[in-house]
Amino acid sequence: MQRSNNENYIGPTGKVKCQEIQLKGGAKVIVNWSSKTKCKCGAEFWWACTKNHKMIPIVLVGHCEWAAHFADCPLAGKFRKNK
């Protein structure tokens, strides 16, 4: 994705509501603000893309802090892949 001047990103289908943010641990991700959904545990989250092009669910924790939902999801173990 290419970044435009207004912090939105341009994808193959045109302009999308995305923004680069920093997570609580310091990692930077690109969030698709139109991707709000609900986890099976009931928490609302947004999908974000890491620098390695992996999709992760993120949640708002505290005041204006973001974290990967895997860190606080009680069902996280059910989503882990076996290595």
Side-chain angles (χ1 to χ4, degrees), residues 18-75:
C18 294
Q19 182 180 22
E20 185 178 76
I21 64 168
Q22 188 167 347
L23 298 181
K24 193 174 180 180
K28 290 185 180 180
V29 295
I30 299 171
V31 182
N32 179 350
W33 295 117
S34 61
S35 70
K36 187 175 181 181
T37 190
K38 253 189 180 173
C39 179
K40 290 179 181 179
C41 74
E44 290 185 335
F45 69 87
W46 289 263
W47 285 108
C49 185
T50 68
K51 67 178 182 177
N52 295 326
H53 306 285
K54 303 278 184 179
M55 298 301 293
I56 62 166
I58 63 165
V59 292
L60 184 61
V61 292
H63 181 69
C64 297
E65 284 190 313
W66 295 93
H69 180 52
F70 296 129
D72 69 352
C73 180
L75 304 175

